[in-house]
Amino acid sequence: MINYPTKKTPKQNVHQTQASVKNRGMRFEKLIDEANRYYVDRDIAVIHKKPIPIQIVKVHYPKRTLARIDEAYYKTPSTTDYNGIFQQYYIDFDVKETSAKTSFPLKNIHEHQIAHLKSIHHHGGIAFLLIHLKQPDETYLLGYETLQAFLKRAETGRKSITFSELRQKGYAIKEGFQPRMDYLKAVSAYIKDKTTL
Amino acid sequence: MINYPTKKTPKQNVHQTQASVKNRGMRFEKLIDEANRYYVDRDIAVIHKKPIPIQIVKVHYPKRTLARIDEAYYKTPSTTDYNGIFQQYYIDFDVKETSAKTSFPLKNIHEHQIAHLKSIHHHGGIAFLLIHLKQPDETYLLGYETLQAFLKRAETGRKSITFSELRQKGYAIKEGFQPRMDYLKAVSAYIKDKTTL
């Protein structure tokens, strides 16, 4: 758990978080989680990360109130990691990050995630990916329809989305303050385009 | 995991599940999970139970691909257990069961669950409880507005919902076949009432 900044200045927060996050690859997810806490606290949206599914094998009960899990294994999730409600819409997405320098490899997206996003899209939900490019340090929302078009192309052609394609087809998310990764602005623009086009 | 019935007759399934479910109290939740698999398989709705949140303390990696969790603890969830999308609506609910014989005690519903359902309701989502009464073996959907009224009453009066009140204010869910706990019928009626009244 990172502490949600309430009384500190934004500059301090950035510093603090960068120092405390050992795994650099986790930073993007933590920013999304921080934004979600901000949205829930301000009643802007209710979006949560789902817990990682665990197969519990052995549990020890030293006392009635305290259970310790002694043996468990990670399970493969059947959905994406994030869902919730915003502007009355069902929102569903996954978070991706790449260290690649020119294009986002589609193999980063798992079969079950694609199937789930497709199903959500079909049911009228807002389905997308949030993609962080580490090297240029840029973040984009990629709507399901666009993702689908790139997956279609990958059947016979290029198996990745070039950064310039992402810049063109995605919704840019600028890093700022309070919350630092204010991705709902991009979601809002995406919903607007979906509902007016 | 109980097996989802695809090729078997409904009668066999009932028998099989009752025999395999050791904890009788879990049966209701298993029926909801079974219904959710049915809805996803038929593309009727996408509703999933969230995994139980776990605080992982120690992980052992005997091989790169196999991680075994050696120490972990249950965490208190901050939301309800179920959410998803149905008829384009964001759906959010929790499942409750009581052995009580005349009324459903409101203390069965935790503070964080009430706060979460309230927030979902406020954002335009469909928020409710599914309540199973073990003794008469009856199941009801209780919409957030009605729950709220009973919670209000509990501030100065009765701290439970009588079964006759549940029968009057809730939406009855009849146990049948395929899926046995076809609760989306009640959700559909609830949505209709909400949007036409």
Side-chain angles (χ1 to χ4, degrees), chain A residues 17 29 34-35 42 65 79 88 99 105 147 149 166:
Chain A
T17 304
E29 273 202 28
E34 179 197 285
R42 267 87 178 164
T65 48
T79 64
Q88 302 201 23
S99 307
L147 171 64
L166 255 185

Side-chain angles (χ1 to χ4, degrees), chain A residues 5 8-18 27 176-178 180:
Chain A
K8 295 156 196 166
T9 69
K11 206 177 173 189
Q12 274 180 309
N13 298 326
V14 172
H15 181 77
Q16 200 179 46
T17 304
Q18 283 179 339
R27 185 172 176 267
F177 313 112
Q178 291 274 47
R180 283 173 288 173

Side-chain angles (χ1 to χ4, degrees), chain B residues 126-177:
Chain B
I126 306 300
F128 56 87
L129 294 178
L130 295 182
I131 302 177
H132 182 65
L133 314 177
K134 281 192 188 184
Q135 299 295 335
D137 193 16
E138 294 172 15
T139 308
Y140 296 92
L141 179 156
L142 188 70
Y144 174 77
E145 302 89 334
T146 317
L147 171 64
Q148 188 50 52
F150 285 123
L151 289 168
K152 184 84 191 155
R153 181 179 72 180
E155 286 173 15
T156 52
R158 178 183 263 278
K159 309 246 178 302
S160 65
I161 307 170
T162 69
F163 288 180
S164 73
E165 285 172 332
L166 255 185
R167 286 178 190 120
Q168 225 185 325
K169 309 271 188 180
Y171 295 78
I173 301 165
K174 295 260 172 289
E175 214 174 317
F177 311 112

Side-chain angles (χ1 to χ4, degrees), chain A residues 8-71:
Chain A
K8 295 156 196 166
T9 69
K11 206 177 173 189
Q12 274 180 309
N13 298 326
V14 172
H15 181 77
Q16 200 179 46
T17 304
Q18 283 179 339
S20 67
V21 177
K22 282 170 202 160
N23 184 349
R24 191 66 177 70
M26 291 292 285
R27 185 172 176 267
F28 181 49
E29 273 202 28
K30 283 186 186 290
L31 289 179
I32 301 301
D33 295 340
E34 179 197 285
N36 287 339
R37 278 192 297 278
Y38 180 93
Y39 299 143
V40 167
D41 288 350
R42 267 87 178 164
D43 213 15
I44 295 164
V46 185
I47 297 167
H48 287 280
K49 186 180 181 177
K50 290 183 203 169
I52 303 161
I54 305 276
Q55 179 70 51
I56 294 164
V57 176
K58 213 190 288 174
V59 184
H60 177 67
Y61 296 91
K63 285 182 198 169
R64 205 170 153 269
T65 48
L66 185 74
R68 191 184 69 218
I69 298 158
D70 284 337
E71 189 183 350

Side-chain angles (χ1 to χ4, degrees), chain B:
Chain B
M1 290 283 282
I2 56 165
N3 296 314
Y4 181 71
T6 34
K7 300 269 162 75
K8 295 156 197 164
T9 70
K11 204 174 174 191
Q12 274 182 308
N13 299 326
V14 172
H15 181 79
Q16 200 178 48
T17 304
Q18 283 180 338
S20 67
V21 177
K22 281 171 205 158
N23 185 350
R24 190 66 177 68
M26 291 291 286
R27 184 170 177 267
F28 181 49
E29 272 202 29
K30 283 186 185 289
L31 289 179
I32 301 301
D33 294 341
E34 179 198 285
N36 287 340
R37 278 194 297 279
Y38 180 92
Y39 299 142
V40 168
D41 287 351
R42 266 87 178 166
D43 213 15
I44 295 164
V46 185
I47 297 167
H48 286 281
K49 185 179 182 177
K50 290 183 202 167
I52 303 160
I54 305 275
Q55 180 69 52
I56 293 164
V57 176
K58 213 190 289 173
V59 184
H60 177 66
Y61 297 90
K63 286 182 199 169
R64 205 170 152 268
T65 48
L66 186 74
R68 190 184 70 218
I69 299 158
D70 284 338
E71 189 183 349
Y73 299 90
Y74 293 102
K75 288 201 290 185
T76 306
S78 55
T79 64
T80 50
D81 282 351
Y82 294 86
N83 76 354
I85 186 168
F86 173 55
Q87 293 183 352
Q88 301 200 25
Y89 286 98
Y90 175 87
I91 304 292
D92 199 300
F93 63 97
D94 229 328
V95 158
K96 299 290 174 191
E97 199 164 31
T98 185
S99 306
K101 298 215 172 60
T102 52
S103 68
F104 173 76
L106 288 165
K107 71 171 183 336
N108 284 9
I109 315 164
H110 307 296
E111 282 294 336
H112 71 266
Q113 294 169 336
I114 296 166
H116 179 74
L117 289 173
K118 181 181 181 172
S119 183
I120 295 306
H121 175 74
H122 172 82
H123 281 278
I126 306 300
F128 56 87
L129 294 178
L130 295 182
I131 302 177
H132 182 65
L133 314 177
K134 281 192 188 184
Q135 299 295 335
D137 193 16
E138 294 172 15
T139 308
Y140 296 92
L141 179 156
L142 188 70
Y144 174 77
E145 302 89 334
T146 317
L147 171 64
Q148 188 50 52
F150 285 123
L151 289 168
K152 184 84 191 155
R153 181 179 72 180
E155 286 173 15
T156 52
R158 178 183 263 278
K159 309 246 178 302
S160 65
I161 307 170
T162 69
F163 288 180
S164 73
E165 285 172 332
L166 255 185
R167 286 178 190 120
Q168 225 185 325
K169 309 271 188 180
Y171 295 78
I173 301 165
K174 295 260 172 289
E175 214 174 317
F177 311 112
Q178 292 273 48
R180 283 174 286 171
M181 197 61 80
D182 191 5
Y183 71 91
L184 280 186
K185 276 184 195 159
V187 176
S188 202
Y190 174 48
I191 291 173
K192 206 176 164 192
D193 285 350
K194 272 176 82 83
T195 48
T196 54
L197 291 181

